[in-house]
Amino acid sequence: MHVIVATDGSRQSLAAAKHLKSFADPTKVTEISVIAVIRPLASVAFADDTSEGKAKWPDGSFRDAAQSAVDTIAAVFDGWGPKVNKRIRSGSAANEIIKAAKQYDAGLVVVAAGGRGLSDSVLVGSTAQRVQHYAPCPVLVVRPAPKPRKPRS
Amino acid sequence: MADAATIPHQDEEDGELKRSITGRLLFFYTLGDVLGSGIYVLIGLVAAAVGGAFWIAFALGVTVAAITGAAYAELVTKYPQAAGASLYVNKAFGNRPLTFLVTVSFLAASMAASGSLAVGFASYFDTLWSGPPALLVSLVFVALLVVVNFIGITESVWMNMLMTFVEVAGLLIVLVIGIVHIFQGNADFGVLTQIDTSGDYGSPALAVLAGISFSFFAMTGFENTANVAEETIDPYKSFPRSLVGGMVVAGLVYVLVSMAAALTVPVETLANSDAALLEVVKQGILPFSTDFMTTLFSVIALIAITNTTLVTIVTQPRVLYGMAREDVVPGVFAKIHPVRRSPWVGLIFSGAVVASLLVIGTLVTEAGGGIDLVGRLATVTVVLLLAIYAIVIVACLKLRGQDEENPFFRANTPLLFVGLVGNLAILYFTIYDDPHSLIWCAGLLGVGLVLFLAEYFFGSKGTGSRAPDLDSQEG
């Protein structure tokens, strides 16, 4: 099975990749494609929070940021078994992930979803939601763990 | 998971980096960005300065801008990153303070442009619904664009294209009115050669120069195409074609629209109107109800202004983000929202600066400062951008012979010198004509200085590069 692991450069997407590795059977996974999508018309076309790489101002390249995020996520699967591809696409995140899933005939798409609280419930149309609705295969949406409740005193 | 997993096929474009901006999209991006910024807002000022022949101002202004565009096209094909002018100046001079100054000037220009456009938006909005005060309309407009940008609706390439089509359609309406007017035999072509020397500007040359200076705001915006440089397919081919081509088309549209406006409406009426192109529609030359046409045209103008303002508001947090990553301004500007992936602090900050420009400008006007806010903010933009354009052309010339391993577009050298002189002449005149605009420029540049000092004294090294989003941790 070909698995697509999408990253938007967020740490949650790194968590999603680790989550996949934590339960999936590497002998059943033939290939993993780590995909980052650059959004050319966004204020910040791609931001990488997963690695410590330092951009050099002013020539900061969003391609470089996407590349380093893809590298970090791919490194999670180092030595795990399946062949790992790194891919950078450009356009609308959800569209590109869905297109990639069709193109590679993916058996599973792994995406990270949202944070907690207001922004997640008020603002609809997130990438994860659109991927869930339109992907041609099962989708694993990895949500952040709930904040530990403060013990009542 | 039901898994009809097929044989993993090796797809042909393995490892290839996919880009998404085609030459066609880039063309529309340039055109939309340039067309919206100004002709709807500023045509009255230009007409007032020059008289019936104000199309000459648009023609000359766009020529200087298109040459500058050629310099940008050369540099962008050599250094296809998003940073634009800052990057070129850094490559050419390697002087950090200068790079900082250029970057902050660009940011300030972009903020002043947003302010001017927001006031222009309010003028057209007034014709649809004159209830709310203009300041409120422009503030709500800016706030909405910040929210829209945060959510990421602006990222749709197709929406961008659609808005550009609407923009062009609006200007086509003006053209059609002009043509109908000519065929009705009512046009007096003598108007097109009249230069008004009775006003503030004694000689025709000065009057035209003043017109260029006012109209130049309408030529700006093309520099934002560097935003998408990295994602452009085959930039070597598409950039010169789309950028310079977009400018030429925009220039042609401007000249024809100015002629149509001058032929159909008395110049004094244009000069005294806040929403001058509406006057053309109000002449009732087309066989539709004037009310309907006015409403339709106002909506089109609002869309055009929105399109251009959006690009400026996308650009500002991006510039702040780039500087924050490198510890030039406080690291908080590199904060990316964990869900929306937007630089939300930078967005709110940009919105706040633009809003305070609007509030301060309105207060000054009401206190009898006697300024036209649209014009003043447009002038501030133009002063800052002209300085940047001149430096970019110098950078382009200085970088000749360097980094030329890959194919790049080479702009015509004598033309570049013409462009340099043109930019400096307009810059000189603009400052000479309105020295007060320098106070506003200084004020906006001061914001950049404050940010720099804040990082210098209170910032901690390296905060920017990590841009922590604290609440999402690995599971």
Side-chain angles (χ1 to χ4, degrees), chain A residues 36-73:
Chain A
V37 183
I38 297 173
R39 305 167 304 163
L41 298 186
S43 273
V44 170
F46 197 93
D48 174 30
D49 299 336
T50 62
S51 49
E52 295 280 312
K54 205 164 159 62
K56 222 163 144 38
W57 182 72
D59 24 0
S61 150
F62 293 119
R63 286 255 151 199
D64 292 350
Q67 189 61 52
S68 74
V70 167
D71 289 344
T72 310
I73 304 291

Short mmCIF file of all heavy atoms in Angstrom, two decimals, chain A residues 36-73:
data_model
loop_
_atom_site.label_atom_id
_atom_site.label_comp_id
_atom_site.label_asym_id
_atom_site.label_seq_id
_atom_site.Cartn_x
_atom_site.Cartn_y
_atom_site.Cartn_z
N ALA A 36 4.72 18.01 0.66
CA ALA A 36 4.50 19.36 1.16
C ALA A 36 3.91 20.18 0.03
O ALA A 36 4.31 20.01 -1.12
CB ALA A 36 5.80 19.98 1.63
N VAL A 37 2.96 21.04 0.34
CA VAL A 37 2.36 21.88 -0.69
C VAL A 37 2.66 23.35 -0.37
O VAL A 37 2.36 23.84 0.71
CB VAL A 37 0.83 21.68 -0.78
CG1 VAL A 37 0.26 22.51 -1.90
CG2 VAL A 37 0.49 20.22 -0.96
N ILE A 38 3.29 23.99 -1.35
CA ILE A 38 3.57 25.43 -1.22
C ILE A 38 2.38 26.20 -1.75
O ILE A 38 1.84 25.88 -2.81
CB ILE A 38 4.83 25.80 -2.02
CG1 ILE A 38 6.03 25.05 -1.45
CG2 ILE A 38 5.07 27.30 -2.01
CD1 ILE A 38 7.28 25.23 -2.27
N ARG A 39 1.93 27.22 -1.01
CA ARG A 39 0.79 28.03 -1.44
C ARG A 39 1.31 29.37 -1.95
O ARG A 39 1.57 30.27 -1.17
CB ARG A 39 -0.16 28.23 -0.27
CG ARG A 39 -0.60 26.91 0.37
CD ARG A 39 -1.27 27.15 1.69
NE ARG A 39 -0.42 27.91 2.61
CZ ARG A 39 -0.87 28.53 3.70
NH1 ARG A 39 -2.14 28.53 3.98
NH2 ARG A 39 -0.03 29.18 4.48
N PRO A 40 1.46 29.51 -3.27
CA PRO A 40 2.17 30.67 -3.80
C PRO A 40 1.53 32.01 -3.44
O PRO A 40 2.22 32.99 -3.27
CB PRO A 40 2.12 30.48 -5.32
CG PRO A 40 1.63 29.11 -5.54
CD PRO A 40 0.96 28.62 -4.31
N LEU A 41 0.22 32.05 -3.32
CA LEU A 41 -0.42 33.35 -3.10
C LEU A 41 -0.66 33.64 -1.62
O LEU A 41 -1.25 34.66 -1.27
CB LEU A 41 -1.75 33.42 -3.85
CG LEU A 41 -1.67 33.31 -5.36
CD1 LEU A 41 -3.03 33.55 -5.99
CD2 LEU A 41 -0.67 34.31 -5.93
N ALA A 42 -0.18 32.75 -0.74
CA ALA A 42 -0.37 33.01 0.69
C ALA A 42 0.70 33.96 1.19
O ALA A 42 1.75 34.11 0.59
CB ALA A 42 -0.32 31.70 1.46
N SER A 43 0.43 34.60 2.31
CA SER A 43 1.41 35.52 2.90
C SER A 43 2.72 34.79 3.13
O SER A 43 3.79 35.28 2.79
CB SER A 43 0.91 36.04 4.23
OG SER A 43 0.12 37.18 4.05
N VAL A 44 2.62 33.66 3.77
CA VAL A 44 3.82 32.84 3.95
C VAL A 44 3.54 31.55 3.20
O VAL A 44 2.69 30.75 3.61
CB VAL A 44 4.09 32.60 5.44
CG1 VAL A 44 5.18 31.56 5.61
CG2 VAL A 44 4.50 33.90 6.11
N ALA A 45 4.22 31.38 2.10
CA ALA A 45 3.89 30.29 1.19
C ALA A 45 4.15 28.92 1.82
O ALA A 45 3.46 27.95 1.53
CB ALA A 45 4.67 30.43 -0.12
N PHE A 46 5.17 28.87 2.67
CA PHE A 46 5.41 27.64 3.43
C PHE A 46 6.26 27.99 4.64
O PHE A 46 7.27 28.68 4.52
CB PHE A 46 6.14 26.59 2.58
CG PHE A 46 6.03 25.21 3.18
CD1 PHE A 46 5.02 24.35 2.82
CD2 PHE A 46 6.93 24.80 4.16
CE1 PHE A 46 4.90 23.10 3.39
CE2 PHE A 46 6.80 23.55 4.75
CZ PHE A 46 5.79 22.69 4.36
N ALA A 47 5.84 27.52 5.78
CA ALA A 47 6.63 27.77 6.99
C ALA A 47 6.98 26.43 7.62
O ALA A 47 6.12 25.58 7.77
CB ALA A 47 5.83 28.60 7.98
N ASP A 48 8.22 26.24 7.91
CA ASP A 48 8.66 24.97 8.49
C ASP A 48 8.94 25.15 9.97
O ASP A 48 9.89 25.83 10.36
CB ASP A 48 9.92 24.49 7.76
CG ASP A 48 10.49 23.25 8.43
OD1 ASP A 48 9.69 22.49 9.01
OD2 ASP A 48 11.72 23.07 8.39
N ASP A 49 8.10 24.54 10.80
CA ASP A 49 8.33 24.60 12.25
C ASP A 49 8.89 23.28 12.76
O ASP A 49 9.03 23.09 13.96
CB ASP A 49 7.01 24.88 12.99
CG ASP A 49 6.41 26.21 12.59
OD1 ASP A 49 7.16 27.09 12.14
OD2 ASP A 49 5.19 26.37 12.72
N THR A 50 9.18 22.36 11.86
CA THR A 50 9.58 21.04 12.33
C THR A 50 11.08 20.92 12.49
O THR A 50 11.56 20.03 13.16
CB THR A 50 9.12 19.94 11.34
OG1 THR A 50 9.79 20.20 10.10
CG2 THR A 50 7.63 19.97 11.13
N SER A 51 11.83 21.81 11.87
CA SER A 51 13.28 21.68 11.99
C SER A 51 13.88 23.01 12.42
O SER A 51 13.22 24.05 12.38
CB SER A 51 13.88 21.24 10.65
OG SER A 51 13.39 22.05 9.60
N GLU A 52 15.12 22.96 12.81
CA GLU A 52 15.76 24.14 13.37
C GLU A 52 16.46 24.97 12.30
O GLU A 52 17.17 25.90 12.61
CB GLU A 52 16.80 23.72 14.42
CG GLU A 52 16.17 23.05 15.63
CD GLU A 52 15.60 24.08 16.61
OE1 GLU A 52 16.31 25.04 16.93
OE2 GLU A 52 14.44 23.93 17.01
N GLY A 53 16.30 24.61 11.06
CA GLY A 53 17.01 25.27 9.97
C GLY A 53 16.79 26.78 10.00
O GLY A 53 15.72 27.27 10.32
N LYS A 54 17.81 27.52 9.67
CA LYS A 54 17.73 28.97 9.76
C LYS A 54 17.77 29.53 8.34
O LYS A 54 18.67 29.27 7.58
CB LYS A 54 18.92 29.47 10.55
CG LYS A 54 18.67 30.80 11.22
CD LYS A 54 19.75 31.00 12.29
CE LYS A 54 19.90 32.45 12.66
NZ LYS A 54 18.73 33.06 13.24
N ALA A 55 16.75 30.32 8.02
CA ALA A 55 16.74 30.94 6.70
C ALA A 55 17.63 32.16 6.71
O ALA A 55 17.80 32.81 7.72
CB ALA A 55 15.31 31.35 6.35
N LYS A 56 18.22 32.45 5.57
CA LYS A 56 19.09 33.60 5.52
C LYS A 56 18.34 34.77 4.90
O LYS A 56 17.95 34.73 3.76
CB LYS A 56 20.35 33.27 4.73
CG LYS A 56 21.51 33.87 5.43
CD LYS A 56 22.85 33.38 5.10
CE LYS A 56 23.82 34.52 5.15
NZ LYS A 56 23.57 35.48 6.23
N TRP A 57 18.12 35.80 5.69
CA TRP A 57 17.42 36.97 5.17
C TRP A 57 18.37 37.77 4.30
O TRP A 57 19.53 37.90 4.65
CB TRP A 57 16.94 37.82 6.35
CG TRP A 57 16.16 39.01 5.95
CD1 TRP A 57 14.90 39.03 5.44
CD2 TRP A 57 16.60 40.36 6.00
NE1 TRP A 57 14.53 40.31 5.19
CE2 TRP A 57 15.54 41.15 5.51
CE3 TRP A 57 17.78 40.99 6.40
CZ2 TRP A 57 15.64 42.54 5.42
CZ3 TRP A 57 17.87 42.36 6.30
CH2 TRP A 57 16.80 43.13 5.83
N PRO A 58 17.97 38.37 3.20
CA PRO A 58 16.59 38.33 2.73
C PRO A 58 16.29 37.26 1.70
O PRO A 58 15.20 37.27 1.15
CB PRO A 58 16.45 39.71 2.09
CG PRO A 58 17.80 39.98 1.53
CD PRO A 58 18.78 39.28 2.39
N ASP A 59 17.20 36.33 1.44
CA ASP A 59 16.88 35.41 0.35
C ASP A 59 16.10 34.18 0.81
O ASP A 59 16.12 33.17 0.15
CB ASP A 59 18.11 34.99 -0.47
CG ASP A 59 19.39 35.13 0.30
OD1 ASP A 59 19.33 35.54 1.47
OD2 ASP A 59 20.45 34.84 -0.27
N GLY A 60 15.41 34.28 1.94
CA GLY A 60 14.64 33.16 2.43
C GLY A 60 13.78 32.54 1.34
O GLY A 60 13.01 33.22 0.70
N SER A 61 13.95 31.25 1.14
CA SER A 61 13.23 30.59 0.07
C SER A 61 12.17 29.68 0.67
O SER A 61 12.45 28.89 1.57
CB SER A 61 14.22 29.80 -0.78
OG SER A 61 13.59 28.69 -1.34
N PHE A 62 10.94 29.81 0.18
CA PHE A 62 9.87 28.94 0.68
C PHE A 62 10.08 27.51 0.20
O PHE A 62 9.69 26.56 0.86
CB PHE A 62 8.52 29.49 0.25
CG PHE A 62 8.18 30.80 0.89
CD1 PHE A 62 7.96 31.94 0.13
CD2 PHE A 62 8.09 30.91 2.27
CE1 PHE A 62 7.65 33.15 0.72
CE2 PHE A 62 7.78 32.12 2.88
CZ PHE A 62 7.57 33.24 2.10
N ARG A 63 10.72 27.36 -0.97
CA ARG A 63 11.06 26.01 -1.45
C ARG A 63 11.99 25.32 -0.45
O ARG A 63 11.83 24.14 -0.16
CB ARG A 63 11.78 26.09 -2.79
CG ARG A 63 10.89 26.44 -3.94
CD ARG A 63 10.62 25.22 -4.80
NE ARG A 63 9.31 25.35 -5.43
CZ ARG A 63 8.64 24.32 -5.93
NH1 ARG A 63 9.14 23.11 -5.88
NH2 ARG A 63 7.47 24.51 -6.45
N ASP A 64 12.97 26.08 0.04
CA ASP A 64 13.90 25.50 1.01
C ASP A 64 13.17 25.08 2.28
O ASP A 64 13.44 24.02 2.85
CB ASP A 64 15.00 26.50 1.37
CG ASP A 64 15.93 26.78 0.20
OD1 ASP A 64 15.82 26.05 -0.81
OD2 ASP A 64 16.73 27.72 0.28
N ALA A 65 12.23 25.93 2.71
CA ALA A 65 11.46 25.62 3.91
C ALA A 65 10.66 24.33 3.70
O ALA A 65 10.64 23.45 4.56
CB ALA A 65 10.53 26.78 4.26
N ALA A 66 10.04 24.22 2.53
CA ALA A 66 9.25 23.02 2.24
C ALA A 66 10.16 21.79 2.19
O ALA A 66 9.83 20.72 2.71
CB ALA A 66 8.52 23.19 0.91
N GLN A 67 11.34 21.98 1.58
CA GLN A 67 12.28 20.87 1.47
C GLN A 67 12.71 20.40 2.87
O GLN A 67 12.76 19.21 3.15
CB GLN A 67 13.50 21.31 0.66
CG GLN A 67 14.45 20.18 0.30
CD GLN A 67 13.77 19.12 -0.56
OE1 GLN A 67 13.16 19.43 -1.58
NE2 GLN A 67 13.83 17.86 -0.14
N SER A 68 13.00 21.35 3.76
CA SER A 68 13.48 20.93 5.07
C SER A 68 12.37 20.25 5.87
O SER A 68 12.63 19.30 6.61
CB SER A 68 14.10 22.11 5.83
OG SER A 68 13.11 22.98 6.31
N ALA A 69 11.12 20.72 5.68
CA ALA A 69 10.01 20.05 6.37
C ALA A 69 9.85 18.62 5.85
O ALA A 69 9.69 17.67 6.63
CB ALA A 69 8.72 20.83 6.17
N VAL A 70 9.93 18.46 4.53
CA VAL A 70 9.79 17.13 3.93
C VAL A 70 10.92 16.21 4.41
O VAL A 70 10.70 15.05 4.74
CB VAL A 70 9.76 17.24 2.39
CG1 VAL A 70 9.94 15.89 1.75
CG2 VAL A 70 8.47 17.87 1.93
N ASP A 71 12.12 16.78 4.50
CA ASP A 71 13.26 16.00 4.97
C ASP A 71 13.04 15.52 6.41
O ASP A 71 13.32 14.37 6.75
CB ASP A 71 14.55 16.84 4.91
CG ASP A 71 15.01 17.06 3.47
OD1 ASP A 71 14.51 16.32 2.58
OD2 ASP A 71 15.84 17.95 3.23
N THR A 72 12.54 16.45 7.26
CA THR A 72 12.32 16.09 8.66
C THR A 72 11.30 14.97 8.79
O THR A 72 11.49 14.00 9.54
CB THR A 72 11.81 17.31 9.46
OG1 THR A 72 12.67 18.41 9.20
CG2 THR A 72 11.78 17.02 10.94
N ILE A 73 10.20 15.10 8.04
CA ILE A 73 9.15 14.08 8.12
C ILE A 73 9.68 12.75 7.56
O ILE A 73 9.46 11.68 8.14
CB ILE A 73 7.90 14.52 7.33
CG1 ILE A 73 7.39 15.87 7.81
CG2 ILE A 73 6.81 13.46 7.41
CD1 ILE A 73 6.78 15.91 9.17
#
